[in-house]
Each structure stands twice: as structure tokens, then as C-alpha cells.
Amino acid sequence: MLDSITLKQCGLDQLVFERNSSLGKHASADYTLVWHIDLIIGLQTCLANNHLDAKLKASLQHILDTKRAAINVYWHNFLVNERSIRHLWSSQQTIGKNPLPSYRALATNLAELSHIHGELITSHSINKKQLVQLSEKLQKGASILALLQELNATRAWLDKVTMALDARQFSCQESKADYDILRNILTKVYAVKVQDYLAELDQSANAVINSLSPLMQQSHAELLARASAIHLEFKQANRKHVKQWKQILDSCT
């Protein structure tokens, strides 16, 4: 009974009750992470009580040490199970004509999440309101999967068009009409519409992967590497495409 009274004064009895309740057992991953951090803070408060029974104090100290050592595990579980994080890798949204603003916003949110992680590691504390609000933003924001799928699809399209351009061997002097058609496509379609969209895709991927790297390089290195590889394949296809247009233009000067 004395132990129970002491734990109640520390607030630990309420935390244990919340975790064991039906709501606690089905809580979202962000709230679960917050609960673990609240428990660490509560244990620290309890252990500062000089009236603790020695046996109880030793038991609580062991629990605190275990909880502190498992902070990376709790964070990893958050990244894997949090609905808003899973949304980033599962939502097949449609990419708009100007995707860059949405993905810059996502990059900012990922950088904020990385900052929260840094604070968690150094101080064993977390800003609950900030984390919950950030989860809501991520849930409503742009999808990384959609961006990677668009990079893949656009890379395949670039490869196909590049091969088609490469197959059109002609002399400008003998096939002036063909050259004029290609030049019109280049100046009125590619340069005006396609090139800007390709640039936005590239910048979007740069922003997201740069912000994603600190979060994923240890716990999800393979996923990060795959995202980077897809971006690199897109950039290589884009460079080959530009080179092919240049070869056509240079051959006619």
C-alpha cells in the first residue's frame, strides 16, 4: 500500500492505468511513443523521492535504465507503426503539375521530425504537442511512394523517347521537314512544359531524400538506398535525353 501511494504521488499509477486500458492498448504509435517518454520522466521524478523504500527504488531504477536503453527501439517502432509515416510509403497519390511546393513542405516536416528525434536522444524528452501536430501534417501531406512511382514512370518515358530520337537518323539538308518537326517539339513542348516538370521532380526528390536521410540511414538504410537509387536512375535518364536533343541540334548546325 505504501508503494502504491508513492507511485501515485509520482503519477506512475495513472500512466500504468492508461497503458493497460483498452484505449492504451490500441493507441496510435505517436501516443505510444509519448507514453514511454512520460514513463521515463515519471520514473526519474519518483527516484528523486528520498522516502522511497530501498527495494522499490532499486526496482524502479532497473526499469528506468531499461527504458532509457530502449529509446531507439521505441523510436524505430514509431517510424514503422505510426499511421502518418506509413502513409508516406503507401499512399498512391496523383502527382500534380507542380509538385515542388508539396514536397518542400514534406521535407520541412521530415526535418522537424529529425529534430524531435535528436531532442529525444539527448534529453530523453519529447514535445507531445509538436509530435502529434506533425503526425497530422504528415498524414495530410505528400506521399514519398507517389514521388518514387512518378520518378520511375518518367524515367521509363524518357528512356523510350530517347531511343526513338536516337533511331531518327537523317540529314537536315535532305530532311528539313523532319528537323523542323523535331525543333518545334523541342521548343514548344519539351522546353515549355516537360523540362520544367522534370526539374520540379528532381528538386522534389532532392529535398525529400536530403531530409529523409538523417531519419532513415540507421533504421531503414535499405529503404533510403532504394529511394536514392530511383532518383539517380531518373537523373541519368534525364541527362541522356538532354544529350540526345543536343546531338540532333548539333548535327544540323
Side-chain angles (χ1 to χ4, degrees):
M1 183 178 292
L2 289 175
D3 289 349
S4 177
I5 293 172
T6 302
L7 295 179
K8 185 175 182 179
Q9 291 173 345
C10 298
L12 289 181
D13 64 327
Q14 182 62 28
L15 283 171
V16 173
F17 170 77
E18 289 175 0
R19 183 58 175 166
N20 290 326
S21 69
S22 58
L23 290 176
K25 291 176 180 177
H26 298 91
S28 60
D30 52 358
Y31 278 100
T32 300
L33 177 62
V34 166
W35 181 87
H36 283 296
I37 303 308
D38 281 348
L39 186 58
I40 288 175
I41 295 171
L43 286 165
Q44 291 172 163
T45 302
C46 255
L47 287 167
N49 186 339
N50 294 325
H51 301 293
L52 276 183
D53 173 78
K55 186 177 180 181
L56 176 61
K57 187 171 185 177
S59 178
L60 293 180
Q61 184 64 56
H62 173 71
I63 295 171
L64 176 59
D65 293 341
T66 302
K67 287 288 179 185
R68 283 174 172 168
I71 278 182
N72 278 330
V73 175
Y74 301 143
W75 181 258
H76 174 79
N77 289 341
F78 165 75
L79 290 180
V80 171
N81 297 315
E82 169 54 34
R83 185 173 58 181
S84 60
I85 305 295
R86 292 169 68 180
H87 156 81
L88 298 178
W89 301 101
S90 62
S91 178
Q92 299 187 16
Q93 298 173 340
T94 300
I95 300 263
K97 293 182 180 179
N98 302 105
L100 187 54
S102 296
Y103 284 101
R104 277 181 174 161
L106 173 57
T108 298
N109 291 334
L110 291 172
E112 185 179 348
L113 190 60
S114 184
H115 175 73
I116 290 174
H117 182 219
E119 289 291 311
L120 178 62
I121 296 302
T122 56
S123 65
H124 296 167
S125 64
I126 204 163
N127 186 318
K128 305 175 199 177
K129 184 177 179 181
Q130 182 186 19
L131 182 66
V132 173
Q133 288 178 342
L134 187 56
S135 291
E136 291 174 356
K137 287 187 209 174
L138 291 171
Q139 181 67 36
K140 296 175 183 177
S143 160
I144 295 175
L145 174 63
L147 176 60
L148 296 179
Q149 288 179 329
E150 184 67 10
L151 288 170
N152 261 333
T154 306
R155 186 263 309 156
W157 177 83
L158 284 168
D159 286 342
K160 186 175 181 179
V161 176
T162 300
M163 290 176 63
L165 290 173
D166 186 47
R168 293 181 70 92
Q169 297 182 11
F170 63 92
S171 165
C172 293
Q173 288 73 27
E174 297 175 2
S175 305
K176 184 68 165 53
D178 283 351
Y179 173 69
D180 288 342
I181 290 172
L182 286 176
R183 187 174 186 124
N184 282 336
I185 292 174
L186 176 63
T187 56
K188 296 180 180 180
V189 178
Y190 178 77
V192 175
K193 298 179 180 179
V194 178
Q195 196 170 36
D196 286 347
Y197 181 68
L198 295 175
E200 286 214 16
L201 278 183
D202 184 41
Q203 292 174 55
S204 295
N206 272 329
V208 169
I209 291 173
N210 287 340
S211 295
L212 196 63
S213 181
L215 283 170
M216 311 293 282
Q217 60 187 352
Q218 291 184 341
S219 59
H220 298 79
E222 292 183 3
L223 193 58
L224 180 63
R226 183 58 189 143
S228 298
I230 289 172
H231 183 209
L232 178 60
E233 290 164 3
F234 164 80
K235 290 196 293 185
Q236 290 172 337
N238 195 19
R239 282 195 291 266
K240 285 175 65 177
H241 189 71
V242 171
K243 184 178 179 181
Q244 187 58 49
W245 276 116
K246 188 174 184 303
Q247 286 177 347
I248 290 174
L249 292 177
D250 289 348
S251 68
C252 298
T253 55

